Amino acid sequence: MEQAPDRLAAFRAQIGAVPIQAQRLGENLTMLSGPGGNVVVLRDSGGLIVVDTFVAPAWPKLEDALKSFGSRVKVVINTHWHFDHTDNNAPLHAGGATVVAHENTKRRMSEPQHIAILDLDFPPSPAAALPQRVFGDRFGLEANGMRLELTHVAPAHTDTDVIVRFEQANVLHAGDVFFNGRYPLIDGYTGGRVDGMIAACDRLLRLADADTKIVPGHGPLGTRAELVKYRDMLVTAADRVRKLKASGKSLEESIAAKPFTDLDADWASGRYKGDDFVKIVYLTL
């Protein structure tokens, strides 16, 4: 246990070292990617609305990137509780922003947490990092003629997941419900379920058309067709592991069966490889 803070600090530093890249999503709407989950920034005359906040070591780079928009941050939205999406809540709140998240995000951040697949332990977040405004099912706000709709989905990546719809821009921020082009983490320790991931993808697909820009939690900007492909992979993976589990196979035996060999070429380029994803699915069915 004494190693945990050092391992966590090293993991944060590794992610935080990645440079920030900016991509225009539409008028006054920009995606920042690199050190953690993808961040979306909406410029408004009254201030910026920022979705997710990268890892703590990326703060100087994030602060510089946000200053370049020429306005202070007035609202921060967290798509879920994980550190790579919430780590910079505190400095943004100190600068005057209100942090908005699902009520479960505040609860999870207020307590010690463990992410098993990464073998990382997290102490409770400091009070200054906790969301100031929480909601249950839905939350809406307007900025710059744009309506934002925040919707909580049933336990999927975690039990804290929110999808954000920028209605007039035809942009969706999927959070970690969608890892574009790679196997996702599903955090069973905080309620994540593979079937919930599939259901959340179905909800996103109902909101998307062929022109919708879909911001994944991780990976490049996505299209509806890419989300369909990802959803179909999740269905295939869940079906295969469900059959192994139902036949009495242990976790180790299920991994040894190599059920994702044909999927790896398309999906194993990220942090999680085929064997990892068998474990992730097995433990979240």
Side-chain angles (χ1 to χ4, degrees):
M1 289 294 286
E2 290 174 18
Q3 299 295 314
D6 296 337
R7 286 191 65 246
L8 182 54
F11 194 58
R12 276 191 164 105
Q14 177 195 7
I15 299 169
V18 179
I20 292 176
Q21 295 179 303
Q23 184 173 354
R24 189 174 183 273
L25 301 180
E27 192 177 358
N28 297 316
L29 201 60
T30 303
M31 179 173 98
L32 304 177
S33 57
N38 290 320
V39 169
V40 171
V41 181
L42 174 63
R43 292 194 300 289
D44 177 52
S45 55
L48 306 177
I49 296 177
V50 177
V51 182
D52 287 343
T53 71
F54 292 144
V55 294
W59 170 245
K61 289 184 290 197
L62 177 59
E63 186 178 31
D64 285 348
L66 294 174
K67 279 179 179 169
S68 74
F69 293 107
S71 192
R72 72 176 190 86
V73 180
K74 65 175 179 178
V75 176
V76 170
I77 296 165
N78 295 150
T79 60
H80 62 291
W81 80 266
H82 282 161
F83 70 108
D84 51 330
H85 302 258
T86 61
D87 252 2
N88 290 306
N89 282 4
L92 287 164
H93 178 52
T98 299
V99 180
V100 179
H102 188 262
E103 58 197 11
N104 288 348
T105 293
K106 184 173 185 178
R107 179 170 62 87
R108 292 294 187 188
M109 291 178 69
S110 301
E111 301 164 353
Q113 299 296 347
H114 176 70
I115 300 182
I117 198 79
L118 298 173
D119 192 26
L120 291 175
D121 291 285
F122 295 84
S125 297
L130 299 177
Q132 290 84 47
R133 186 86 185 261
V134 297
F135 64 96
D137 269 351
R138 292 176 183 273
F139 185 85
L141 55 142
E142 309 249 350
N144 209 12
M146 180 98 65
R147 175 159 177 83
L148 278 68
E149 184 176 69
L150 285 56
T151 307
H152 176 57
V153 295
H157 174 67
T158 65
D159 60 11
T160 70
D161 302 315
V162 170
I163 55 179
V164 183
R165 185 183 189 192
F166 298 84
E167 291 185 5
Q168 287 81 356
N170 199 11
V171 169
L172 294 168
H173 194 316
D176 279 4
V177 165
F178 180 29
F179 280 52
N180 192 16
R182 59 196 70 179
Y183 291 128
L185 172 66
I186 307 171
D187 182 4
Y189 274 69
T190 53
R193 293 290 176 264
V194 65
D195 292 331
M197 292 282 276
I198 295 164
C201 288
D202 287 338
R203 184 181 288 207
L204 283 163
L205 289 169
R206 288 195 293 272
L207 296 173
D209 59 33
D211 298 320
T212 306
K213 295 183 174 88
I214 307 174
V215 176
H218 298 271
L221 184 65
T223 62
R224 190 180 192 280
E226 286 170 327
L227 180 58
V228 168
K229 185 180 175 187
Y230 170 81
R231 179 209 172 271
D232 291 348
M233 177 275 291
L234 292 177
V235 170
T236 299
D239 285 349
R240 290 179 185 176
V241 177
R242 203 185 316 272
K243 288 189 177 105
L244 289 167
K245 203 169 181 179
S247 72
K249 294 275 193 294
S250 68
L251 171 60
E252 291 71 24
E253 289 167 334
S254 298
I255 292 169
K258 300 285 181 190
F260 300 160
T261 305
D262 59 324
L263 302 176
D264 286 351
D266 284 339
W267 302 101
S269 64
R271 184 176 298 279
Y272 307 105
K273 309 307 178 190
D275 288 358
D276 301 319
F277 197 53
V278 176
K279 181 176 181 179
I280 287 168
V281 174
Y282 190 98
L283 293 175
T284 61
L285 275 171

mmCIF file of all heavy atoms in Angstrom, residues 8-9 11-13 15-16 35-36 52-59 62 76 78 80-92 109 122-123 125-126 128-130:
data_model
loop_
_atom_site.group_PDB
_atom_site.id
_atom_site.type_symbol
_atom_site.label_atom_id
_atom_site.label_comp_id
_atom_site.label_asym_id
_atom_site.label_seq_id
_atom_site.Cartn_x
_atom_site.Cartn_y
_atom_site.Cartn_z
ATOM 1 N N LEU A 8 0.707 6.043 -8.358
ATOM 2 C CA LEU A 8 -0.320 6.953 -8.860
ATOM 3 C C LEU A 8 0.322 8.225 -9.408
ATOM 4 O O LEU A 8 -0.043 8.703 -10.492
ATOM 5 C CB LEU A 8 -1.316 7.278 -7.740
ATOM 6 C CG LEU A 8 -2.486 8.193 -8.107
ATOM 7 C CD1 LEU A 8 -3.250 7.654 -9.306
ATOM 8 C CD2 LEU A 8 -3.422 8.352 -6.909
ATOM 9 N N ALA A 9 1.311 8.754 -8.683
ATOM 10 C CA ALA A 9 2.002 9.964 -9.148
ATOM 11 C C ALA A 9 2.712 9.709 -10.478
ATOM 12 O O ALA A 9 2.681 10.548 -11.389
ATOM 13 C CB ALA A 9 2.995 10.439 -8.096
ATOM 14 N N PHE A 11 1.898 7.459 -12.714
ATOM 15 C CA PHE A 11 0.870 7.275 -13.748
ATOM 16 C C PHE A 11 0.338 8.638 -14.207
ATOM 17 O O PHE A 11 0.193 8.899 -15.405
ATOM 18 C CB PHE A 11 -0.260 6.403 -13.179
ATOM 19 C CG PHE A 11 -1.200 5.854 -14.204
ATOM 20 C CD1 PHE A 11 -0.741 5.055 -15.245
ATOM 21 C CD2 PHE A 11 -2.562 6.113 -14.125
ATOM 22 C CE1 PHE A 11 -1.617 4.530 -16.191
ATOM 23 C CE2 PHE A 11 -3.439 5.598 -15.059
ATOM 24 C CZ PHE A 11 -2.964 4.807 -16.093
ATOM 25 N N ARG A 12 0.080 9.514 -13.239
ATOM 26 C CA ARG A 12 -0.367 10.872 -13.569
ATOM 27 C C ARG A 12 0.674 11.598 -14.422
ATOM 28 O O ARG A 12 0.345 12.264 -15.401
ATOM 29 C CB ARG A 12 -0.626 11.679 -12.297
ATOM 30 C CG ARG A 12 -2.004 11.482 -11.676
ATOM 31 C CD ARG A 12 -2.234 12.518 -10.589
ATOM 32 N NE ARG A 12 -3.643 12.607 -10.241
ATOM 33 C CZ ARG A 12 -4.167 12.111 -9.123
ATOM 34 N NH1 ARG A 12 -3.392 11.491 -8.252
ATOM 35 N NH2 ARG A 12 -5.459 12.240 -8.884
ATOM 36 N N ALA A 13 1.942 11.467 -14.015
ATOM 37 C CA ALA A 13 3.016 12.164 -14.728
ATOM 38 C C ALA A 13 3.142 11.656 -16.167
ATOM 39 O O ALA A 13 3.358 12.442 -17.096
ATOM 40 C CB ALA A 13 4.335 11.985 -13.989
ATOM 41 N N ILE A 15 0.769 10.357 -18.072
ATOM 42 C CA ILE A 15 -0.346 10.882 -18.869
ATOM 43 C C ILE A 15 -0.184 12.388 -19.079
ATOM 44 O O ILE A 15 -0.403 12.920 -20.176
ATOM 45 C CB ILE A 15 -1.699 10.587 -18.171
ATOM 46 C CG1 ILE A 15 -1.915 9.074 -18.029
ATOM 47 C CG2 ILE A 15 -2.862 11.211 -18.951
ATOM 48 C CD1 ILE A 15 -3.083 8.713 -17.127
ATOM 49 N N GLY A 16 0.229 13.079 -18.017
ATOM 50 C CA GLY A 16 0.327 14.534 -18.067
ATOM 51 C C GLY A 16 1.403 15.057 -19.000
ATOM 52 O O GLY A 16 1.368 16.219 -19.409
ATOM 53 N N PRO A 35 -3.495 14.937 -22.577
ATOM 54 C CA PRO A 35 -3.156 14.435 -21.236
ATOM 55 C C PRO A 35 -4.362 13.962 -20.419
ATOM 56 O O PRO A 35 -4.718 14.539 -19.400
ATOM 57 C CB PRO A 35 -2.493 15.639 -20.568
ATOM 58 C CG PRO A 35 -2.592 16.785 -21.518
ATOM 59 C CD PRO A 35 -3.477 16.393 -22.639
ATOM 60 N N GLY A 36 -5.005 12.896 -20.891
ATOM 61 C CA GLY A 36 -6.185 12.385 -20.187
ATOM 62 C C GLY A 36 -7.375 12.389 -21.112
ATOM 63 O O GLY A 36 -7.240 12.443 -22.332
ATOM 64 N N ASP A 52 -14.680 18.270 -18.732
ATOM 65 C CA ASP A 52 -13.527 17.486 -18.266
ATOM 66 C C ASP A 52 -12.263 18.344 -18.180
ATOM 67 O O ASP A 52 -12.196 19.446 -18.746
ATOM 68 C CB ASP A 52 -13.342 16.206 -19.070
ATOM 69 C CG ASP A 52 -14.419 15.158 -18.716
ATOM 70 O OD1 ASP A 52 -15.060 15.307 -17.664
ATOM 71 O OD2 ASP A 52 -14.625 14.217 -19.501
ATOM 72 N N THR A 53 -11.247 17.837 -17.425
ATOM 73 C CA THR A 53 -10.165 18.748 -17.011
ATOM 74 C C THR A 53 -8.750 18.159 -17.036
ATOM 75 O O THR A 53 -7.838 18.771 -16.479
ATOM 76 C CB THR A 53 -10.454 19.299 -15.593
ATOM 77 O OG1 THR A 53 -10.283 18.250 -14.617
ATOM 78 C CG2 THR A 53 -11.845 19.873 -15.466
ATOM 79 N N PHE A 54 -8.539 16.997 -17.665
ATOM 80 C CA PHE A 54 -7.212 16.389 -17.748
ATOM 81 C C PHE A 54 -6.666 15.998 -16.360
ATOM 82 O O PHE A 54 -7.325 16.168 -15.346
ATOM 83 C CB PHE A 54 -6.198 17.302 -18.458
ATOM 84 C CG PHE A 54 -6.430 17.514 -19.926
ATOM 85 C CD1 PHE A 54 -6.166 18.754 -20.506
ATOM 86 C CD2 PHE A 54 -6.884 16.496 -20.748
ATOM 87 C CE1 PHE A 54 -6.355 18.960 -21.875
ATOM 88 C CE2 PHE A 54 -7.074 16.696 -22.109
ATOM 89 C CZ PHE A 54 -6.815 17.935 -22.669
ATOM 90 N N VAL A 55 -5.417 15.476 -16.362
ATOM 91 C CA VAL A 55 -4.758 15.095 -15.099
ATOM 92 C C VAL A 55 -4.016 16.294 -14.505
ATOM 93 O O VAL A 55 -3.668 17.242 -15.211
ATOM 94 C CB VAL A 55 -3.765 13.929 -15.308
ATOM 95 C CG1 VAL A 55 -4.492 12.651 -15.695
ATOM 96 C CG2 VAL A 55 -2.696 14.278 -16.339
ATOM 97 N N ALA A 56 -3.752 16.211 -13.209
ATOM 98 C CA ALA A 56 -3.162 17.348 -12.486
ATOM 99 C C ALA A 56 -1.855 17.867 -13.093
ATOM 100 O O ALA A 56 -1.688 19.092 -13.221
ATOM 101 C CB ALA A 56 -2.970 16.979 -11.017
ATOM 102 N N PRO A 57 -0.898 16.997 -13.484
ATOM 103 C CA PRO A 57 0.357 17.543 -14.020
ATOM 104 C C PRO A 57 0.185 18.340 -15.319
ATOM 105 O O PRO A 57 1.094 19.079 -15.700
ATOM 106 C CB PRO A 57 1.216 16.293 -14.261
ATOM 107 C CG PRO A 57 0.649 15.249 -13.362
ATOM 108 C CD PRO A 57 -0.820 15.532 -13.329
ATOM 109 N N ALA A 58 -0.942 18.199 -15.982
ATOM 110 C CA ALA A 58 -1.185 18.947 -17.221
ATOM 111 C C ALA A 58 -1.739 20.347 -16.953
ATOM 112 O O ALA A 58 -1.987 21.095 -17.912
ATOM 113 C CB ALA A 58 -2.152 18.175 -18.120
ATOM 114 N N TRP A 59 -1.922 20.724 -15.681
ATOM 115 C CA TRP A 59 -2.571 21.999 -15.375
ATOM 116 C C TRP A 59 -1.898 23.205 -16.037
ATOM 117 O O TRP A 59 -2.599 24.027 -16.649
ATOM 118 C CB TRP A 59 -2.695 22.204 -13.864
ATOM 119 C CG TRP A 59 -3.136 23.598 -13.517
ATOM 120 C CD1 TRP A 59 -2.451 24.552 -12.850
ATOM 121 C CD2 TRP A 59 -4.395 24.200 -13.873
ATOM 122 N NE1 TRP A 59 -3.181 25.717 -12.764
ATOM 123 C CE2 TRP A 59 -4.368 25.526 -13.387
ATOM 124 C CE3 TRP A 59 -5.514 23.756 -14.568
ATOM 125 C CZ2 TRP A 59 -5.433 26.410 -13.557
ATOM 126 C CZ3 TRP A 59 -6.576 24.639 -14.755
ATOM 127 C CH2 TRP A 59 -6.542 25.943 -14.252
ATOM 128 N N LEU A 62 -2.964 23.198 -19.599
ATOM 129 C CA LEU A 62 -4.406 23.441 -19.735
ATOM 130 C C LEU A 62 -4.725 24.903 -19.448
ATOM 131 O O LEU A 62 -5.504 25.534 -20.181
ATOM 132 C CB LEU A 62 -5.181 22.528 -18.783
ATOM 133 C CG LEU A 62 -6.705 22.721 -18.766
ATOM 134 C CD1 LEU A 62 -7.327 22.485 -20.140
ATOM 135 C CD2 LEU A 62 -7.360 21.810 -17.727
ATOM 136 N N VAL A 76 -17.549 24.161 -15.287
ATOM 137 C CA VAL A 76 -16.834 22.924 -15.601
ATOM 138 C C VAL A 76 -17.835 21.780 -15.468
ATOM 139 O O VAL A 76 -18.588 21.714 -14.486
ATOM 140 C CB VAL A 76 -15.648 22.697 -14.641
ATOM 141 C CG1 VAL A 76 -15.057 21.303 -14.822
ATOM 142 C CG2 VAL A 76 -14.583 23.762 -14.843
ATOM 143 N N ASN A 78 -18.041 17.597 -15.367
ATOM 144 C CA ASN A 78 -17.327 16.323 -15.296
ATOM 145 C C ASN A 78 -18.195 15.227 -15.888
ATOM 146 O O ASN A 78 -19.337 15.045 -15.459
ATOM 147 C CB ASN A 78 -17.003 15.936 -13.849
ATOM 148 C CG ASN A 78 -16.028 16.861 -13.135
ATOM 149 O OD1 ASN A 78 -16.106 17.010 -11.926
ATOM 150 N ND2 ASN A 78 -15.101 17.473 -13.850
ATOM 151 N N HIS A 80 -17.562 12.033 -15.548
ATOM 152 C CA HIS A 80 -17.597 10.988 -14.518
ATOM 153 C C HIS A 80 -16.480 11.263 -13.519
ATOM 154 O O HIS A 80 -15.767 12.260 -13.648
ATOM 155 C CB HIS A 80 -17.482 9.578 -15.128
ATOM 156 C CG HIS A 80 -16.210 9.305 -15.858
ATOM 157 N ND1 HIS A 80 -15.886 9.915 -17.051
ATOM 158 C CD2 HIS A 80 -15.153 8.488 -15.572
ATOM 159 C CE1 HIS A 80 -14.707 9.478 -17.461
ATOM 160 N NE2 HIS A 80 -14.238 8.624 -16.587
ATOM 161 N N TRP A 81 -16.320 10.382 -12.534
ATOM 162 C CA TRP A 81 -15.452 10.713 -11.394
ATOM 163 C C TRP A 81 -13.967 10.504 -11.628
ATOM 164 O O TRP A 81 -13.148 11.031 -10.867
ATOM 165 C CB TRP A 81 -15.874 9.913 -10.154
ATOM 166 C CG TRP A 81 -15.397 8.480 -10.109
ATOM 167 C CD1 TRP A 81 -16.088 7.380 -10.535
ATOM 168 C CD2 TRP A 81 -14.147 7.978 -9.601
ATOM 169 N NE1 TRP A 81 -15.353 6.225 -10.333
ATOM 170 C CE2 TRP A 81 -14.153 6.567 -9.757
ATOM 171 C CE3 TRP A 81 -13.020 8.579 -9.033
ATOM 172 C CZ2 TRP A 81 -13.081 5.753 -9.384
ATOM 173 C CZ3 TRP A 81 -11.940 7.756 -8.659
ATOM 174 C CH2 TRP A 81 -11.985 6.369 -8.819
ATOM 175 N N HIS A 82 -13.553 9.771 -12.634
ATOM 176 C CA HIS A 82 -12.146 9.369 -12.755
ATOM 177 C C HIS A 82 -11.183 10.556 -12.813
ATOM 178 O O HIS A 82 -11.492 11.600 -13.396
ATOM 179 C CB HIS A 82 -11.943 8.486 -13.982
ATOM 180 C CG HIS A 82 -12.389 7.068 -13.780
ATOM 181 N ND1 HIS A 82 -12.659 6.217 -14.818
ATOM 182 C CD2 HIS A 82 -12.617 6.350 -12.653
ATOM 183 C CE1 HIS A 82 -13.035 5.033 -14.349
ATOM 184 N NE2 HIS A 82 -13.019 5.088 -13.044
ATOM 185 N N PHE A 83 -9.999 10.338 -12.254
ATOM 186 C CA PHE A 83 -9.008 11.403 -12.041
ATOM 187 C C PHE A 83 -8.600 12.115 -13.327
ATOM 188 O O PHE A 83 -8.337 13.320 -13.316
ATOM 189 C CB PHE A 83 -7.765 10.835 -11.341
ATOM 190 C CG PHE A 83 -6.922 9.926 -12.189
ATOM 191 C CD1 PHE A 83 -5.684 10.342 -12.652
ATOM 192 C CD2 PHE A 83 -7.356 8.647 -12.539
ATOM 193 C CE1 PHE A 83 -4.899 9.506 -13.429
ATOM 194 C CE2 PHE A 83 -6.575 7.805 -13.313
ATOM 195 C CZ PHE A 83 -5.347 8.231 -13.773
ATOM 196 N N ASP A 84 -8.532 11.387 -14.454
ATOM 197 C CA ASP A 84 -8.071 12.019 -15.699
ATOM 198 C C ASP A 84 -9.151 12.903 -16.320
ATOM 199 O O ASP A 84 -8.931 13.513 -17.371
ATOM 200 C CB ASP A 84 -7.572 10.967 -16.700
ATOM 201 C CG ASP A 84 -8.546 9.829 -16.939
ATOM 202 O OD1 ASP A 84 -9.326 9.487 -16.022
ATOM 203 O OD2 ASP A 84 -8.539 9.259 -18.048
ATOM 204 N N HIS A 85 -10.301 12.992 -15.666
ATOM 205 C CA HIS A 85 -11.389 13.869 -16.117
ATOM 206 C C HIS A 85 -11.736 14.939 -15.076
ATOM 207 O O HIS A 85 -12.448 15.884 -15.396
ATOM 208 C CB HIS A 85 -12.635 13.033 -16.434
ATOM 209 C CG HIS A 85 -12.381 11.988 -17.477
ATOM 210 N ND1 HIS A 85 -12.779 12.126 -18.798
ATOM 211 C CD2 HIS A 85 -11.747 10.795 -17.413
ATOM 212 C CE1 HIS A 85 -12.397 11.056 -19.485
ATOM 213 N NE2 HIS A 85 -11.767 10.240 -18.662
ATOM 214 N N THR A 86 -11.223 14.775 -13.844
ATOM 215 C CA THR A 86 -11.607 15.669 -12.741
ATOM 216 C C THR A 86 -10.422 16.311 -12.007
ATOM 217 O O THR A 86 -10.630 17.144 -11.123
ATOM 218 C CB THR A 86 -12.430 14.897 -11.682
ATOM 219 O OG1 THR A 86 -11.620 13.832 -11.139
ATOM 220 C CG2 THR A 86 -13.694 14.302 -12.283
ATOM 221 N N ASP A 87 -9.199 15.939 -12.355
ATOM 222 C CA ASP A 87 -8.032 16.332 -11.557
ATOM 223 C C ASP A 87 -7.858 17.839 -11.415
ATOM 224 O O ASP A 87 -7.277 18.298 -10.421
ATOM 225 C CB ASP A 87 -6.754 15.761 -12.190
ATOM 226 C CG ASP A 87 -6.152 14.616 -11.390
ATOM 227 O OD1 ASP A 87 -6.731 14.223 -10.361
ATOM 228 O OD2 ASP A 87 -5.084 14.115 -11.811
ATOM 229 N N ASN A 88 -8.293 18.604 -12.399
ATOM 230 C CA ASN A 88 -8.079 20.055 -12.339
ATOM 231 C C ASN A 88 -9.349 20.832 -11.980
ATOM 232 O O ASN A 88 -9.428 22.043 -12.215
ATOM 233 C CB ASN A 88 -7.461 20.547 -13.648
ATOM 234 C CG ASN A 88 -6.027 20.055 -13.786
ATOM 235 O OD1 ASN A 88 -5.208 20.264 -12.908
ATOM 236 N ND2 ASN A 88 -5.742 19.365 -14.879
ATOM 237 N N ASN A 89 -10.296 20.133 -11.344
ATOM 238 C CA ASN A 89 -11.485 20.834 -10.836
ATOM 239 C C ASN A 89 -11.094 21.959 -9.869
ATOM 240 O O ASN A 89 -11.620 23.068 -9.954
ATOM 241 C CB ASN A 89 -12.400 19.859 -10.070
ATOM 242 C CG ASN A 89 -13.231 18.965 -10.963
ATOM 243 O OD1 ASN A 89 -13.111 18.989 -12.190
ATOM 244 N ND2 ASN A 89 -14.072 18.158 -10.349
ATOM 245 N N ALA A 90 -10.179 21.646 -8.950
ATOM 246 C CA ALA A 90 -9.885 22.602 -7.865
ATOM 247 C C ALA A 90 -9.315 23.927 -8.384
ATOM 248 O O ALA A 90 -9.820 24.997 -8.023
ATOM 249 C CB ALA A 90 -8.962 21.970 -6.825
ATOM 250 N N PRO A 91 -8.264 23.919 -9.232
ATOM 251 C CA PRO A 91 -7.772 25.206 -9.714
ATOM 252 C C PRO A 91 -8.786 25.958 -10.570
ATOM 253 O O PRO A 91 -8.830 27.194 -10.538
ATOM 254 C CB PRO A 91 -6.513 24.847 -10.516
ATOM 255 C CG PRO A 91 -6.596 23.392 -10.790
ATOM 256 C CD PRO A 91 -7.385 22.805 -9.661
ATOM 257 N N LEU A 92 -9.626 25.235 -11.307
ATOM 258 C CA LEU A 92 -10.653 25.913 -12.111
ATOM 259 C C LEU A 92 -11.721 26.528 -11.207
ATOM 260 O O LEU A 92 -12.182 27.651 -11.444
ATOM 261 C CB LEU A 92 -11.270 24.932 -13.115
ATOM 262 C CG LEU A 92 -10.323 24.580 -14.278
ATOM 263 C CD1 LEU A 92 -10.797 23.339 -15.011
ATOM 264 C CD2 LEU A 92 -10.215 25.757 -15.252
ATOM 265 N N MET A 109 -16.008 10.812 -5.469
ATOM 266 C CA MET A 109 -14.817 11.632 -5.209
ATOM 267 C C MET A 109 -14.635 11.926 -3.725
ATOM 268 O O MET A 109 -13.523 12.234 -3.283
ATOM 269 C CB MET A 109 -14.892 12.937 -5.999
ATOM 270 C CG MET A 109 -14.760 12.753 -7.501
ATOM 271 S SD MET A 109 -14.921 14.316 -8.411
ATOM 272 C CE MET A 109 -13.400 15.152 -7.922
ATOM 273 N N PHE A 122 -7.054 5.582 -4.747
ATOM 274 C CA PHE A 122 -7.254 7.030 -4.756
ATOM 275 C C PHE A 122 -7.804 7.472 -3.407
ATOM 276 O O PHE A 122 -8.827 6.959 -2.956
ATOM 277 C CB PHE A 122 -8.252 7.429 -5.856
ATOM 278 C CG PHE A 122 -7.748 7.141 -7.234
ATOM 279 C CD1 PHE A 122 -7.886 5.875 -7.783
ATOM 280 C CD2 PHE A 122 -7.103 8.108 -7.982
ATOM 281 C CE1 PHE A 122 -7.399 5.583 -9.044
ATOM 282 C CE2 PHE A 122 -6.617 7.837 -9.239
ATOM 283 C CZ PHE A 122 -6.763 6.567 -9.777
ATOM 284 N N PRO A 123 -7.149 8.442 -2.758
ATOM 285 C CA PRO A 123 -7.719 9.001 -1.537
ATOM 286 C C PRO A 123 -8.915 9.881 -1.890
ATOM 287 O O PRO A 123 -9.109 10.227 -3.066
ATOM 288 C CB PRO A 123 -6.573 9.839 -0.974
ATOM 289 C CG PRO A 123 -5.786 10.258 -2.188
ATOM 290 C CD PRO A 123 -5.900 9.118 -3.157
ATOM 291 N N SER A 125 -10.968 13.077 -2.702
ATOM 292 C CA SER A 125 -10.535 14.354 -3.284
ATOM 293 C C SER A 125 -10.694 15.474 -2.263
ATOM 294 O O SER A 125 -11.602 15.431 -1.425
ATOM 295 C CB SER A 125 -11.379 14.682 -4.517
ATOM 296 O OG SER A 125 -11.195 13.708 -5.512
ATOM 297 N N PRO A 126 -9.845 16.492 -2.330
ATOM 298 C CA PRO A 126 -10.036 17.637 -1.425
ATOM 299 C C PRO A 126 -11.367 18.324 -1.692
ATOM 300 O O PRO A 126 -11.891 18.263 -2.819
ATOM 301 C CB PRO A 126 -8.856 18.550 -1.756
ATOM 302 C CG PRO A 126 -8.328 18.084 -3.074
ATOM 303 C CD PRO A 126 -8.687 16.648 -3.211
ATOM 304 N N ALA A 128 -12.189 21.266 -2.248
ATOM 305 C CA ALA A 128 -12.184 22.256 -3.335
ATOM 306 C C ALA A 128 -12.341 21.622 -4.709
ATOM 307 O O ALA A 128 -12.685 22.301 -5.680
ATOM 308 C CB ALA A 128 -10.891 23.065 -3.283
ATOM 309 N N ALA A 129 -12.080 20.305 -4.813
ATOM 310 C CA ALA A 129 -12.179 19.623 -6.107
ATOM 311 C C ALA A 129 -13.553 19.015 -6.346
ATOM 312 O O ALA A 129 -13.857 18.578 -7.467
ATOM 313 C CB ALA A 129 -11.115 18.533 -6.195
ATOM 314 N N LEU A 130 -14.389 18.968 -5.315
ATOM 315 C CA LEU A 130 -15.698 18.321 -5.449
ATOM 316 C C LEU A 130 -16.659 19.198 -6.244
ATOM 317 O O LEU A 130 -16.592 20.433 -6.178
ATOM 318 C CB LEU A 130 -16.293 18.047 -4.067
ATOM 319 C CG LEU A 130 -15.490 17.113 -3.156
ATOM 320 C CD1 LEU A 130 -16.179 16.994 -1.794
ATOM 321 C CD2 LEU A 130 -15.325 15.741 -3.789
#
